[in-house]
Amino acid sequence: MNLLDIIYDGQAQYLQRAEEMVAKVVAEKGKETPVKFPGTAYALPCIYAITGKKITNVGELEDALALAKEFIHPAKNLQAGLDAGTASAMLAEIIEAVKFVYDPVPYKGRDAEDLNTADVRTLGHLPDAEVRSFGVALVTQDIPGVAVLIGEAPDAETLANVVKDYQQKGLLTFMVGKVIDQAIEQNIKMGVDLRVIPLGYEIESVIHVVSVAIRASLIFGATAPGDFLAHRTYTKDRVKAFVNVFGGWDNKIIAAGAAAIELGFPATVDKYINEVPTLLLYQPDYEKVVATSLEARGIKIKVTEINCPVSVSSAFEGERVRKDTMFAEFGGNRTPAWELVTSVDLADIEDHKITVVGPDIDDAMFEEGKTVRLPLGVLVEVAGKDMQADFETVLERRIHYFLNYIEGAMHVGQRNSSWIRLTKEAFGKGFRLNHIGEVLYAKMRDDFDKVVDKCQVTIYTKQEDVDRLYAERAKPVYDKRDTRMAALTDDSVEEFYTCLLCQSFAPSHVCIVTPERLGLCGAVSWLDAKATKQLDPTGPNQPVVKGTAIDERLGIWESVNEAVATNSQGAVESVTLYSILEDPMTSCGCFECICGIMPEANGVVIVNREHAETTPVGMTFGELASMTGGGVQTPGFMGHGRQLLGSKKFMSAEGGLERIVWMPKALKDDVAERMNKAVKEMTGIENFADMVCDETIAVESEAVLAFLEEKGHPALAMDPIM
């Protein structure tokens, strides 16, 4: 069989199975039975994006079959073969959807408390929230690409070498087939947080990674459902994915590969097949698979060599260290712990000097078998001719990311509330406290090479040193920074900054970052943007000189409108910084929270990405996000960062923080302190968070209103919001 015949035969097998499964589910469940994947606002995402048709019940699966057949027209040309691949993808999505009709959790890894100890580890469909969680990492290139591994490698060690290479380079890796068992055999840590995701054993489960790519186009690109050419262009240009097929491929795998190629994702195989130059490649040398794949997809990765016995990569950023795997712990309210980055003169430090003052985690004083707990002070001193004090906080916040890149380490918090855990496995491989210094040194010198010419790290573990140096060095610096930050307001500065990081995924989105309004992803403050401009003069953060405001209440500046119009290529011409009703700022899709008007309560609800349940406005986060992402303006709804919930400028044109009537309890608990402080300073109201309803109190509109009335919520007495 030639390549096209292989694709057509594979597609025919998908069609036969899909038709049989649809006929069976119609007969057994009835046409009105709902069909859906959990946690997504898109009704069968791939079919919806390709055709514009929503599939919501069993009866509509028959329509989906008909739509897939429209792409089946065998001919002796490559495009007909690629269309058959598209049909195969649609049919695979139908097959997977039927599985969810019979079992709401067909992939049992979803039920596992710890995926890496579960009997079944497959995850299948990824909810929208998980897709969005990759957003910032993708646009910042912390995730430089997406690898899809299918089949069975010649042995488990070969598979592990490939996966670990992708991990070391920070890639997001999906697995389908027996490669999952091979990864388990080699003790590869898996899970969404660890960016190694076992989808399923049947080839049809590969549709769940295709769905991730397609939803990136829907969520971040705001690409219209049904405009398949635009979706293909988006995935080809912006989703750096590729496929590796191991072992003896079959015709269904090649048909699935045709679907990937149509989306712009090249594939490699280790068993000979007629190649399609740059798109379908034969690579039998397993030591060259990674390099061949990265080259085919145009992914260039700079890997920093670090003196460390465990891997260091952004792929490990989501790793969690639980008590049963923990060897050592610092901070977390168990011991004092702080971290400080401070700038000094070049002559005052020695480059690459790493010092541990006090006992290390292998000290004989610790009882074998018990968790090691020590106080910790991490002092990072940097020097450079272009280094400025304002950069210190930017570098210091990166400690959180750099330490989480360490395999077997978990870092939470910052400043004097840091919390670090290390695993028994990391200790067994030789990881010691000096390696924290090695990682911080290497990353500071590499990531901030334009301003850091020297870096010295000192780690303190003696109680008296940790306490003394906190009082003498760390706390005075923290206090000085806090005083400066408190004085920074939108009114006190002469310029704001653009942030265009997310344009690699949402080309019409432009963030305007101000002292009182950080980037909606939560990752870029005004000081961050200012520092980034100086570190990267032609980069994503550019100054916008304010000038005179057109409307101070709404937050309209001519200079801001010009910057937005220019950088969105005219897609957006006007934004207000302080209103959600009149030209609100656009969103890309990786926002931390969404606010939306609840008219009957005369206020707004806020929902964070992690909250999956329905809100009082009748929509989930995902459904709200589908209306607001991708660089579009939706009056009455707005994506934003968590920190904005402590800002006096939050929708101040409509009455500000006092308009908040409902939010999930976890979010409320997180923001309560700063929200209460801001509301009290503006209105004198004490403990405002106690007046805000949450899901533990009520979700239905009438019950929410009853709670607000009982508490005397200020929104009820304010002017009508609409």
Side-chain angles (χ1 to χ4, degrees), residues 17 21 47 75 105 123 144 146 150 171 218 373 390 417 449 469 514 537 540 616 625 662 680 692 700-701 715:
R17 186 180 185 194
M21 291 181 70
I47 293 170
V105 189
L123 295 176
V146 180
I150 298 173
L171 273 76
L218 289 164
R373 287 191 170 89
D390 275 352
S417 62
D449 60 316
L469 289 166
T514 81
W662 187 95
K680 182 179 179 181
V692 177
E700 296 299 324
S701 177

Side-chain angles (χ1 to χ4, degrees), residues 257-269:
I261 290 170
E262 179 70 334
L263 294 173
F265 308 151
T268 68
V269 296

Side-chain angles (χ1 to χ4, degrees), residues 600-615:
E600 66 270 35
N602 204 33
V604 297
V605 304
I606 312 283
V607 60
N608 54 305
R609 185 169 58 211
E610 296 78 10
H611 187 76
E613 304 306 316
T614 301
T615 66

Side-chain angles (χ1 to χ4, degrees), residues 619-649:
M619 291 183 279
T620 63
F621 178 94
E623 290 163 341
L624 287 164
S626 69
M627 300 166 51
T628 56
V632 300
Q633 291 176 305
T634 309
F637 299 89
M638 180 181 70
H640 59 85
R642 286 173 178 251
Q643 291 290 333
L644 192 62
L645 298 177
S647 170
K648 296 175 183 177
K649 294 294 189 181

Side-chain angles (χ1 to χ4, degrees), residues 213-214 216-217 221 223 227-240 260-265 297 504-505 507:
I214 286 290
S217 181
T223 310
D227 191 346
F228 187 37
L229 175 60
H231 284 291
R232 297 200 310 267
T233 302
Y234 183 97
T235 55
K236 178 178 182 294
D237 293 346
R238 302 179 186 278
V239 182
K240 299 293 184 179
I261 290 170
E262 179 70 334
L263 294 173
F265 308 151
R297 197 62 184 98
S504 59
F505 272 72

Side-chain angles (χ1 to χ4, degrees), residues 479-513:
D479 291 344
K480 183 178 179 181
R481 291 175 184 169
D482 288 343
T483 300
R484 170 160 164 66
M485 282 302 299
L488 278 177
T489 65
D490 290 4
D491 297 331
S492 69
V493 299
E494 297 300 321
E495 57 192 18
F496 301 148
Y497 288 89
T498 61
C499 185
L500 308 179
L501 270 175
C502 293
Q503 284 203 340
S504 59
F505 272 72
S508 62
H509 169 60
V510 181
C511 252
I512 299 295
V513 181

Side-chain angles (χ1 to χ4, degrees), residues 649-684:
K649 294 294 189 181
F650 172 74
M651 55 174 291
S652 57
E654 284 82 40
L657 295 168
E658 299 161 80
R659 289 284 191 183
I660 299 174
V661 297
W662 187 95
M663 66 173 70
K665 188 176 188 304
L667 177 63
K668 186 167 70 171
D669 291 345
D670 180 50
V671 304
E673 183 177 349
R674 56 185 178 273
M675 183 170 67
N676 285 343
K677 182 175 183 291
V679 172
K680 182 179 179 181
E681 289 175 358
M682 290 189 296
T683 68

